[in-house]
Amino acid sequence: MASIHLLVLIHGMWGNPKHLAEAARVARETHSSPSSDGIKLHLLVAEAVSEDSTYDGVDWGGERIAKEVTETAAELESKGDHVVRFSITGYSLGGLIARYCIGVLHQQSFFEKVEPVNFNTIATPHCGLPRYPSIFSSIAQTLGPRMLSRTGEQFYCADKWSPKGRPLLIVMADPNRIFYQALAKFQHIRIYANAINDLTVPYVTAAIETSDPFADMDSNGIDIEFDEKYSCFVRKYTLPDTPPPKPETSWFRRSSKPSPPLLPPFLQFRFPLNLMFYALLPVIIPTIISMVFVRFALASRSSRARIRTLEKEAQKGNRQALIDLVAEIEKEMEEAVVELIDNPDPTPIYQPKVSKEHPIITPNHKKIAQWLNTLPLQRELVYFPAVRNSHAMIVARDVQRFEAHRAGEAVLRHWATSFIL
């Protein structure tokens, strides 16, 4: 009979367990031997939410993963092992699902017998997906909640999850709710965020901040110090006391920093194929956009059908999902408290500079950050300057197809060695 530390890994939107293959490999290598008190690591790469089922919402994803966790624990018990410790790591959307999942487990009294130890997220949109003052961002904010089903609504805080109309991400951050209380039980809470170049989950939401000191880095004069062992980790940054000199505005001025390639490796053709590819772009781009929209629309429609089925099954089985429990609690709240929480301070966050690089911080974002930052969070800022989008690189998501993703192994090594077994 062995004492087990159960570690759960949850991937992101449109993902599958293969996306966390490198994370699983590094975790197993780092903790191949039992801890000093004889506890063994058992790794569960969650499979209950995958591919199109990631459209079904953070809440239904959390319910599914919680069921997978309890079934895994029961299976281990049936073999004579005993789960005594629990940790969970979520990447991107998986971080939000992890936060909901532990709320479900807490409701089911899972942590009365199992000690919660490590809670980690990597590039997770804790405050939702922020809007930027650009046309593309405005389009994403409009279409995202419609094209990505329930998950899209929750990403953009466009849902009215609670009976009082509060978005799910607000409820999950509320210190009076079971999600926050479950998170507070963990001994170590560590969040990883890309400081720059994460076009999917920007710094402000992954790091749970209300401003972005790394925006306009070439012109604001920020001074960065890096970790000696993990060179891609920002250990300290300093903003200038006085505004930096105005940069040269000549149109032909070139930046000293090399630009990352415009296209991914599999689209970087050699001559003369590259010329043919560029000539066909006016046809290729509209075709791809149309295919993507059709794909999103069909997946969203299927997701909404699945959600209706899940809700009916929950009613028939007399199973109280956590959403129902939270609904009962919210109905019992005093009206004055409800008004205070449901109508947050409308005063906008001051931004030192309004530009396309700086996010528009909403009252919802501000409230979520304010609440979550009362927890003992440990932030780890990762710096990958030579890529267009660092979101997949931070977890080495696909090293077989993209060699650049191997740089993310340093992040995984740091995560695994910081893990308390």
Side-chain angles (χ1 to χ4, degrees), residues 14 55 147 286-298:
W14 303 296
Y55 285 78
M147 304 300 291
T287 302
I288 291 176
I289 292 175
S290 299
M291 291 173 63
V292 168
F293 273 103
V294 170
R295 176 72 177 83
F296 283 178
L298 292 175

Side-chain angles (χ1 to χ4, degrees), residues 351-382:
Q351 292 293 338
K353 179 180 178 181
V354 178
S355 72
K356 66 179 181 179
E357 290 86 5
H358 285 273
I360 299 171
I361 302 299
T362 64
N364 279 339
H365 186 132
K366 179 183 178 182
K367 177 61 68 177
I368 292 169
Q370 175 187 336
W371 278 335
L372 292 181
N373 279 314
T374 59
L375 293 165
L377 303 177
Q378 294 178 278
R379 288 182 179 82
E380 302 292 349
L381 307 185
V382 184

Side-chain angles (χ1 to χ4, degrees), residues 193-197 203-204 207 209 211-226 233-239 257 352 357-359 379-383:
N194 279 307
I196 61 171
N197 293 339
Y203 166 83
V204 286
E209 297 281 14
S211 63
D212 186 355
F214 299 97
D216 300 325
M217 282 191 59
D218 287 339
S219 58
N220 66 11
I222 188 172
D223 182 36
I224 301 176
E225 295 180 16
F226 296 95
F233 279 70
V234 175
R235 280 290 162 253
K236 183 180 179 182
Y237 62 87
T238 306
L239 295 173
K257 183 174 68 175
E357 290 86 5
H358 285 273
R379 288 182 179 82
E380 302 292 349
L381 307 185
V382 184
Y383 187 88

Side-chain angles (χ1 to χ4, degrees), residues 132-151:
Y132 287 78
S134 67
I135 295 177
F136 178 80
S137 182
S138 298
I139 293 173
Q141 288 277 333
T142 301
L143 296 181
R146 294 172 173 82
M147 304 300 291
L148 301 180
S149 188
R150 190 179 184 92
T151 300

